[in-house]
């Protein structure tokens, strides 16, 4: 029996309002961050932008973890949390920011809608959760959907390398969630206080290797996307989601990814005049 199953058995039929609240909060915040990442990329180089975001978040998360006397994981749990940090904050955000240079924010969010189904598949591969025939079929359908999205974007000139980067980001995030769930319930502040500096260091090295210019925003108008992502994204959505993964199954928690594209597509159309081709919506369905 998984941690989440044991928890559900203990609470019986009691409604998990805290879980639904965390799910809704993470969905709403992440629905906006895909658009804000595009705005951040217009101010500073993508990998350097991630580094600034995570550096700010790391300081704040570390301070909150100390003030709240958060208990840090040890042993096998610590190894899984560190791996989560590498995949979620290092690879996921690096691929995501880099890919969003050429891929519209709404379509990026649509690709991330496959994360729940990828999570179900990787949960089975890593022996964390069982997968039935319905979940396996869903994973196959997800791959087909991504292929359709790719085809639609290629027809309007979106570079395949950008789409590939976004898909690798969603895959990294899915595996990260499985490893975090395997670690069991941990302090959400401690988890993110460990992951944010790991991601910042990885993205800084990647930025150096790519030869990016390390410039700082010149005004508050330029700083706000980075601060928004650091505060609402890293201190808000990620903290809510990591708490949720410790209380729900990895696959169920990852269905945040299904809600996010609806919000992201609306915001992308409203503020960036993004118009994804109809076939991309078919792939999302």
């Amino acid at each position: 029996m998984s941690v989440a199953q044991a928890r559900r058995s203990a609470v019986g039929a009691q409604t998990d309002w805290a879980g639904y609240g965390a799910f809704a909060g993470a969905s709403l915040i992440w629905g906006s961050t895909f658009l804000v990442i595009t705005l951040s990329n217009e101010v500073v180089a993508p990998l350097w932008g991630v580094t600034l975001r995570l550096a700010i978040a790391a300081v704040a998360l570390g301070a909150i973890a100390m003030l709240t006397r958060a208990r840090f994981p040890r042993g096998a749990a610590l190894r899984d949390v560190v791996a989560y940090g590498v995949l979620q904050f290092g690879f996921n955000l690096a691929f995501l920011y880099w890919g969003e240079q050429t891929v519209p924010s709404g379509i990026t969010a649509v690709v991330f809608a496959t994360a729940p189904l990828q999570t179900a598949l990787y949960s089975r591969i890593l022996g964390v959760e069982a997968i039935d025939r319905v979940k396996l079929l869903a994973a196959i359908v997800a791959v087909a959907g991504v292929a359709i999205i790719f085809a639609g974007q290629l027809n309007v000139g979106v570079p395949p390398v950008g789409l590939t980067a976004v898909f690798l980001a969603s895959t990294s995030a899915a595996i990260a969630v499985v490893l975090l769930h395997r670690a069991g319930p941990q302090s959400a502040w401690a988890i993110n206080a460990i992951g944010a500096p790991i991601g910042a260091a990885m993205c800084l090295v990647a930025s150096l290797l790519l030869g990016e210019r390390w410039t700082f925003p010149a005004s508050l108008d330029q700083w706000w996307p980075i601060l928004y992502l650091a505060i609402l994204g890293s201190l808000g959505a990620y903290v809510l989601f990591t708490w949720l993964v410790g209380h729900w199954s990895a696959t169920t928690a990852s269905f945040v990814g299904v809600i996010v594209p609806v919000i992201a597509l609306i915001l992308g159309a409203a503020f960036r005049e993004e118009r994804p081709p109809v076939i991309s919506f078919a792939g999302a369905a």
Side-chain angles (χ1 to χ4, degrees), residues 152-201:
Q153 289 303 289
L154 290 175
N155 288 337
V156 295
V158 176
V161 66
L163 288 168
T164 300
V166 170
F167 184 70
L168 289 174
S170 70
T171 300
S172 298
I175 299 174
V177 169
V178 176
L179 294 175
L180 181 60
H181 182 73
R182 189 172 68 179
Q186 305 290 335
S187 165
W189 296 115
I191 291 169
N192 288 278
I194 292 171
I198 291 174

Side-chain angles (χ1 to χ4, degrees), residues 5 120 123-124 127-132 135 251:
Q5 289 172 330
S123 291
R124 175 65 183 89
V128 176
E129 294 175 2
I131 184 171
D132 55 29
K135 289 182 179 180
T251 303

